[in-house]
Amino acid sequence: MSKLISGFSKLTKDEKITWLTENYFHNHPENETVIKQYWNSNIDLQQLHDDFIENTISNFYMPFGIAPNFVINDSDFVIPMVVEESSVVAAASLVAKYWSTRGGFKTKVIGTTKIGQVHFMFAGDKTEIEKYFTKNKTELFAATTSITKNMDKRGGGILDIKLVDKTDKLENYYQLHVTFETKDSMGANFINSCLEAIAKTFEREDIEIVMSILSNYVPECLVRAEVSCEIEELGGENPQKFAEKFYQAVKIAEVEPYRAVTHNKGIMNGIDAVVLATGNDFRAVEAGAHAYASKTGQYSSLSHCDISNGIFKFWIEIPLALGTVGGLTSLHPMAKLSLEMLQKPSAKTLMQVMAAAGLAQNFAALRALTTKGIQHGHMKMHLQNILNQFKVNDEEKAIITAYFDKRTVTHSAVVNKIDSLRSPKTNWIDFLDKNLISSKLSSINKDVSPLFGIMNGQQMIEHLSFVLQISNGTVDIDCSVSIEKSAKRKPFLDTDGELPVGFKAPMLSDEPNELKFNSIEEAINDLCIQIDNFKTHFETVKAENHPFFGELDFQYWQKFHVKHFTHHFKQFGLV
């Protein structure tokens, strides 16, 4: 059955959700509950969000964090960041504090002009279209007067209109290339309205207007951010070596596109987070930045480094077309709050703040990559995501966080730790406690059936005595274990792992040995004697050979016997 629908936009929000859940979700009530859980309880605020886009059914939350301690051009900033990726905010905050004692970030706006284009086709003589453009250029400016009057008052507007011949790229293709200054507005709607007015005035029968649209490639709307200090001031064990490796890492990103893409992605981690927090268009910023990174014909790093004359210098030049008035910046309550947090910046100031955030993020990533590795810090932050994924409680979270304080965090290691906390604890048997051993073993009879394996109760007790005699040196086993095998097997004895069901040293028979004693009581008494002998034997002997683990000293034989006794006590349900 087709799931296509007509008139969907005319349905109420509840009707949209009902249609969606009935057609695309299996668990209708649960999914509907999740969707509605993210509605804002304030009806007016929710309506505001509903009106941002079309066919709204709910809200999608993103974490809103802040990065303090940014010193930009000697002014203090706390920067709002909206991002879902662990370590981004922490990295920016740490780097901000680091550079705050080394002169902070120095930034400047290089240019603020933006571009719009009227794309058209003209099949006639080139000189004719040039004459037509020159004759009517003033009229093209005049066509936008009603649109630009308010922008003109703020010092913005249309800066220039040029005719561009692109017929060498595409037959009959020309442009009207228009440059704009939009001041504190991002200006997309303003630019597009001007372009459409220009196109309408310019059009005639032999000129086919294809489209009129702004460009998100803004190489002249450019900002620079820089940090610098003497190399010795970088700190650490070997600041010169760090500076050299850092410099090499940047140079690799300049010449290797595969590295440059990830390198620049790290820059955009910082920039996009501020773009989102301030209600700007992160897709436009991303597109413009990556296009700028390819301006030479090969994709390259947006940041650069120099370490000459004993000075470390790290900087970025990046195009950022932003606004602090109009659009979502004036509608979204959190965007307005973000701009207030930034002390109500102009678009130029916001460009500088974002460039500093991007440079900070890039510095953090490169410092990690060239020292401890990127995963060290990232996985520490990602730890909380893993813990939340497995729904750990507060007690478990405290234990696991403390456990990984000085350990490498990996997903598998965290899962193993969670499993170890949640799995039943092993009640290890203290085999040196003869009273405990005698009491537990006295509760079974000679012919009791095991939970696994084929030995009966007395055979199990005599087996424990036999293995103790191996450790006591009274049973000579003809079984050597190579140093290589021992080195691989012995670390198991240091773990919390239990001997698996079916574990058997190779020299032991598959069938149980014939009984040596007439009763369980006699077997238990002999076992206690072997326990005493074990303690006294190692007073004069340093090590004895184990048929599976190789040569073991008293400590490791003790670890083995704890596992061995526990294994066989479990075999008969004694623990």
Side-chain angles (χ1 to χ4, degrees):
M1 178 182 290
S2 173
K3 295 180 180 179
L4 300 181
I5 183 173
S6 297
F8 181 76
S9 63
K10 295 181 175 60
L11 299 178
T12 66
K13 187 160 65 171
D14 281 317
E15 288 170 341
K16 289 183 178 79
I17 293 170
T18 299
W19 177 87
L20 178 67
T21 55
E22 288 179 352
N23 284 277
Y24 288 93
F25 293 132
H26 296 298
N27 193 329
H28 303 174
E30 182 177 327
N31 288 311
E32 185 170 337
T33 298
V34 170
I35 290 170
K36 292 184 177 181
Q37 275 178 342
Y38 285 85
W39 288 5
N40 197 293
S41 58
N42 184 306
I43 296 174
D44 292 335
L45 186 57
Q46 182 57 55
Q47 187 62 52
L48 176 68
H49 282 265
D50 287 347
D51 291 342
F52 285 158
I53 62 169
E54 308 76 32
N55 294 338
T56 307
I57 61 169
S58 192
N59 307 310
F60 188 95
Y61 289 174
M62 294 273 280
F64 184 105
I66 59 169
N69 300 319
F70 270 87
V71 177
I72 303 173
N73 295 339
D74 300 321
S75 295
D76 298 337
F77 286 89
V78 57
I79 297 182
M81 304 182 82
V82 173
V83 64
E84 87 296 342
E85 185 174 330
S86 302
S87 80
V88 170
V89 177
S93 302
L94 287 171
V95 170
K97 189 172 184 180
Y98 175 90
W99 282 108
S100 69
T101 60
R102 293 167 174 82
F105 295 82
K106 304 302 180 185
T107 63
K108 66 176 181 179
V109 173
I110 299 171
T112 57
T113 58
K114 298 163 187 172
I115 304 299
Q117 295 166 319
V118 177
H119 304 271
F120 68 93
M121 312 303 285
F122 175 72
D125 184 79
K126 178 182 176 180
T127 57
E128 183 183 343
I129 196 65
E130 289 174 342
K131 289 179 181 178
Y132 177 72
F133 168 74
T134 302
K135 179 182 178 181
N136 290 280
K137 186 174 180 178
T138 302
E139 293 299 319
L140 300 181
F141 277 99
T144 65
T145 302
S146 62
I147 304 170
T148 63
K149 60 181 180 181
N150 290 330
M151 186 67 74
D152 290 338
K153 291 178 184 178
R154 300 201 300 270
I158 300 175
L159 302 179
D160 196 11
I161 306 174
K162 294 180 180 178
L163 174 67
V164 180
D165 181 357
K166 289 281 186 176
T167 54
D168 61 329
K169 303 291 185 184
L170 179 64
E171 188 178 5
N172 301 331
Y173 171 41
Y174 292 83
Q175 300 171 356
L176 294 181
H177 190 84
V178 189
T179 54
F180 294 85
E181 170 58 63
T182 61
K183 305 307 286 182
D184 289 334
S185 170
M186 190 277 174
N189 290 330
F190 168 75
I191 291 172
N192 287 335
S193 296
C194 289
L195 293 173
E196 288 179 2
I198 290 170
K200 187 175 181 180
T201 301
F202 189 70
E203 189 174 22
R204 67 184 192 186
E205 286 187 3
D206 56 350
I207 295 175
E208 181 187 358
I209 303 296
V210 178
M211 56 185 168
S212 307
I213 186 71
L214 88 163
S215 173
N216 290 127
Y217 183 43
V218 284
E220 295 177 357
C221 188
L222 202 63
V223 60
R224 177 187 173 100
E226 176 185 304
V227 288
S228 65
C229 67
E230 293 184 6
I231 289 174
E232 288 303 315
E233 293 178 2
L234 289 170
E237 294 180 3
N238 191 335
Q240 182 65 39
K241 182 62 177 176
F242 166 72
E244 290 171 0
K245 284 189 71 176
F246 192 101
Y247 171 80
Q248 290 164 350
V250 175
K251 287 300 177 184
I252 289 170
E254 288 178 350
V255 302
E256 172 50 62
Y258 281 93
R259 170 61 198 140
V261 171
T262 309
H263 178 95
N264 290 343
K265 185 268 182 185
I267 293 172
M268 302 315 293
N269 275 348
I271 291 175
D272 281 348
V274 190
V275 173
L276 281 167
T278 56
N280 275 277
D281 187 346
F282 75 92
R283 297 162 304 279
V285 168
E286 282 270 358
H290 294 303
Y292 190 75
S294 305
K295 66 182 183 298
T296 62
Q298 175 178 298
Y299 191 91
S300 183
S301 169
L302 288 164
S303 63
H304 308 281
C305 183
D306 182 80
I307 55 171
S308 58
N309 302 318
I311 301 297
F312 174 87
K313 185 184 295 183
F314 182 48
W315 72 95
I316 186 173
E317 287 187 2
I318 187 168
L320 294 173
L322 305 170
T324 57
V325 297
L328 208 62
T329 59
S330 301
L331 288 174
H332 199 296
M334 292 302 290
K336 290 192 287 187
L337 184 147
S338 294
L339 292 172
E340 183 176 351
M341 187 187 306
L342 291 169
Q343 302 159 59
K344 298 183 178 179
S346 64
K348 284 185 176 181
T349 300
L350 187 57
M351 288 171 69
Q352 295 172 79
V353 168
M354 286 190 191
L359 190 67
Q361 199 64 37
N362 197 209
F363 181 86
L366 291 176
R367 182 171 63 173
L369 281 167
T370 55
T371 53
K372 295 180 179 180
I374 197 69
Q375 288 301 91
H376 178 80
H378 180 76
M379 290 306 292
K380 285 283 188 180
M381 297 300 298
H382 189 51
L383 172 62
Q384 299 307 313
N385 289 342
I386 302 173
L387 298 183
N388 291 333
Q389 178 186 349
F390 285 87
K391 295 180 172 61
V392 303
N393 58 40
D394 290 342
E395 182 181 358
E396 291 172 330
K397 185 174 288 189
I399 293 170
I400 296 170
T401 301
Y403 178 81
F404 283 103
D405 182 47
K406 295 183 180 179
R407 291 178 172 86
T408 299
V409 176
T410 66
H411 189 275
S412 59
V414 176
V415 173
N416 288 339
K417 186 62 179 175
I418 294 170
D419 289 342
S420 71
L421 287 177
R422 292 177 173 178
S423 60
K425 296 293 184 291
T426 302
N427 294 317
W428 297 106
I429 295 298
D430 179 7
F431 75 101
L432 295 176
D433 185 344
K434 292 187 296 181
N435 291 330
L436 172 69
I437 299 300
S438 298
S439 173
K440 285 188 174 291
L441 291 178
S442 297
S443 66
I444 63 174
N445 60 58
K446 176 180 178 180
D447 299 319
V448 67
S449 297
L451 299 177
F452 56 85
I454 57 176
M455 288 190 289
N456 63 34
Q458 185 171 332
Q459 287 170 334
M460 179 269 289
I461 297 169
E462 295 189 12
H463 168 73
L464 291 174
S465 292
F466 175 74
V467 177
L468 271 166
Q469 291 175 64
I470 295 174
S471 64
N472 297 345
T474 56
V475 172
D476 185 20
I477 57 169
D478 184 19
C479 182
S480 62
V481 179
S482 68
I483 295 175
E484 291 79 10
K485 287 184 178 179
S486 178
K488 291 180 180 179
R489 295 171 178 176
K490 191 174 173 182
F492 169 74
L493 298 176
D494 289 318
T495 71
D496 293 329
E498 298 182 39
L499 293 176
V501 174
F503 173 82
K504 182 180 75 66
M507 49 80 63
L508 296 178
S509 170
D510 289 334
E511 297 296 325
N513 292 333
E514 292 186 7
L515 292 177
K516 182 178 178 181
F517 298 99
N518 294 321
S519 68
I520 279 188
E521 289 75 16
E522 290 181 29
I524 292 173
N525 289 335
D526 179 67
L527 180 62
C528 290
I529 292 171
Q530 301 308 327
I531 292 171
D532 286 334
N533 290 343
F534 175 77
K535 288 185 284 189
T536 58
H537 179 68
F538 280 94
E539 292 176 1
T540 56
V541 175
K542 289 186 177 181
E544 291 287 355
N545 194 40
H546 188 283
F548 182 80
F549 293 102
E551 191 173 75
L552 302 179
D553 61 12
F554 175 74
Q555 181 184 16
Y556 274 99
W557 265 113
Q558 191 172 355
K559 290 179 179 181
F560 169 75
H561 283 312
V562 167
K563 291 181 184 289
H564 193 225
F565 271 68
T566 303
H567 174 77
H568 286 293
F569 274 45
K570 279 193 169 185
Q571 184 181 18
F572 286 88
L574 300 178
V575 290

